[in-house]
Amino acid sequence: MSMVQVGVIGASGYVGSELIGILMKHEGVDISGISSENNQGAAFSTLYPSFKGQYDAQFESNQEVISKSDVVFICLPHGKSENMVKQCIDEGKKVIDAGADFRLNDLKVYEDWYETAISYPELHGQAVYGLPEMNKEAISQTSLVANPGCYPTSILLGLYPAVSEQLINTDRLIIDAKSGVTGAGKSLSAVTHFANKNEAFKAYKAGTHRHTPEIEEKLGQMGADNVKVSFVPHLLPVNRGILSTIYADLKSGSDSEHIHNLYKKWYANDPFVTVLDYGTLPDISHVTHSNQCHIGLTVDERTQRLIIVSVIDNMQKGAAGQAVQNMNIMMGFNETEGLAMVAPSF
């Protein structure tokens, strides 16, 4: 079998660089080209010196990358991907978009929350939401995958079994989530400056974060009725990782043993989701630098509330790792190819 030619547009950012590290280990692909708007002609290893002697390819133009690739990863901010995706699809390429442009089915909601106009509404109808544990069959048959947001990945995986089996009320879900600073991207800001972030911890965009409509829409597709989410993200003084704590009111008749057994059975065949023993809560450090999601469950018997704690590495399962997982499914590779890594807990 010939090697699949894979290109990365926007390879100079955190997600793009993470992709390069994964793809270098993938036995079924060659990296055909990389692009960067501000670094064309420079070597990748000048931006990321740890790659020196391992991957020294130069950044090319977007068109050069597209023309040489069978699969294109697009790692651009929202509003920047749509035209690029259109070009790739028109040229018969498969695309995984790591940005937000194709995640929402309701285009009006996207335009309102992201303050960005849609140019090719018909193109959005071709996109499949790339949460493999939810949409594996559809991912295997599409040419365009919308890679999920990092927060929604941890939250949706945490809620999927309970929502689909109608175990909880979804009209007042409370989600308290924390992310490492790489989730803010590579661009410098006062908020992520070391002197401001070190030894600090704060909430931000309470009730207004752009991942809110993505969470609500996908929960609806999982079977939830009348979804209302209070979502409050926080910025942790760590490089990577997301921990989402989810509070959901149980419907009558649901007990802790039944819920835990349901979760274990639900994810039994998903290689990147691990449901911990009942009452054991996960730690970000146990999934760092891996594509794993760890889920812990406990029931507050006094309030009859299910408490779900879900952790991922925002750069792996929350971005680049999940993008490669989607590519593996699209191209018929083993789902775990290039991703079989267990993180040390130190």
Side-chain angles (χ1 to χ4, degrees):
M1 180 179 178
S2 60
M3 302 287 275
V4 174
Q5 301 301 304
V6 176
V8 181
I9 289 175
S12 60
Y14 284 148
V15 177
S17 64
E18 194 87 358
L19 269 169
I20 298 301
I22 298 170
L23 294 170
M24 285 175 61
K25 300 180 295 184
H26 197 296
E27 296 187 355
V29 307
D30 285 327
I31 303 174
S32 52
I34 57 174
S35 74
S36 169
E37 184 175 339
N38 299 318
N39 297 281
Q40 193 168 334
F44 181 80
S45 56
T46 61
L47 269 67
Y48 296 98
S50 59
F51 285 85
K52 191 70 175 177
Q54 305 297 315
Y55 187 75
D56 298 305
Q58 293 183 343
F59 293 104
E60 302 175 282
S61 70
N62 294 333
Q63 183 55 58
E64 287 175 302
V65 172
I66 293 170
S67 65
K68 296 191 293 185
S69 303
D70 304 311
V71 180
V72 180
F73 292 94
I74 300 179
C75 308
L76 298 174
H78 74 268
K80 303 291 187 181
S81 296
E82 192 182 25
N83 288 333
M84 204 71 61
V85 169
K86 178 70 163 60
Q87 182 178 348
C88 290
I89 294 298
D90 286 348
E91 295 187 25
K93 314 297 183 177
K94 292 183 181 291
V95 186
I96 298 103
D97 180 26
D101 285 6
F102 291 87
R103 291 174 185 161
L104 292 173
N105 293 99
D106 191 325
L107 303 187
K108 180 63 166 59
V109 170
Y110 172 82
E111 289 180 329
D112 289 345
W113 279 78
Y114 285 87
E115 300 177 337
T116 301
I118 294 295
S119 300
Y120 305 104
E122 70 287 349
L123 186 61
H124 290 255
Q126 302 177 36
V128 172
Y129 189 67
L131 190 66
E133 293 76 13
M134 175 185 175
N135 288 328
K136 192 172 298 184
E137 182 62 29
I139 292 167
S140 71
Q141 298 177 21
T142 190
S143 293
L144 173 55
V145 165
N147 218 49
C150 51
Y151 280 126
T153 294
S154 67
I155 293 161
L156 295 172
L157 289 175
L159 283 167
Y160 191 15
V163 167
S164 294
E165 294 296 320
Q166 306 291 313
L167 300 182
I168 58 175
N169 295 313
T170 56
D171 58 349
R172 54 175 187 169
L173 290 169
I174 297 173
I175 302 168
D176 179 301
K178 293 97 173 170
S179 174
V181 293
T182 51
K186 194 176 179 182
S187 298
L188 298 176
S189 73
V191 173
T192 56
H193 193 289
F194 178 82
N196 295 330
K197 191 67 255 153
N198 185 45
E199 299 293 336
F201 178 51
K202 65 175 291 186
Y204 66 101
K205 295 184 180 178
T208 63
H209 195 281
R210 285 168 167 163
H211 284 170
T212 302
E214 182 180 344
I215 295 164
E216 291 185 338
E217 181 180 271
K218 304 315 172 187
L219 288 176
Q221 293 173 8
M222 290 174 175
D225 294 322
N226 192 27
V227 182
K228 287 188 176 66
V229 168
S230 291
F231 172 48
V232 182
H234 303 68
L235 195 59
L236 284 171
V238 300
N239 286 343
R240 55 170 74 211
I242 284 178
L243 186 149
S244 296
T245 305
I246 305 161
Y247 305 90
D249 293 332
L250 284 167
K251 294 182 178 179
S252 59
S254 300
D255 62 74
S256 58
E257 183 178 2
H258 170 68
I259 293 168
H260 185 251
N261 288 337
L262 169 68
Y263 269 73
K264 295 283 285 186
K265 184 177 180 180
W266 192 274
Y267 287 122
N269 296 317
D270 289 305
F272 296 113
V273 181
T274 299
V275 179
L276 305 182
D277 292 341
Y278 179 76
T280 300
L281 301 180
D283 188 311
I284 284 175
S285 68
H286 298 168
V287 299
T288 303
H289 294 286
S290 82
N291 199 51
Q292 290 290 325
C293 172
H294 285 187
I295 296 173
L297 305 167
T298 191
V299 173
D300 183 341
E301 300 290 352
R302 186 177 62 86
T303 61
Q304 277 299 287
R305 187 168 290 130
L306 175 62
I307 301 172
I308 306 162
V309 182
S310 173
V311 299
I312 62 171
D313 183 322
N314 59 295
M315 298 302 298
Q316 286 273 334
K317 184 60 172 165
Q322 185 150 255
V324 173
Q325 186 181 355
N326 280 315
M327 179 197 71
N328 286 341
I329 296 167
M330 293 172 80
M331 302 305 295
F333 294 121
N334 186 302
E335 189 174 349
T336 63
E337 179 62 45
L339 297 168
M341 177 179 174
V342 177
S345 56
F346 55 85

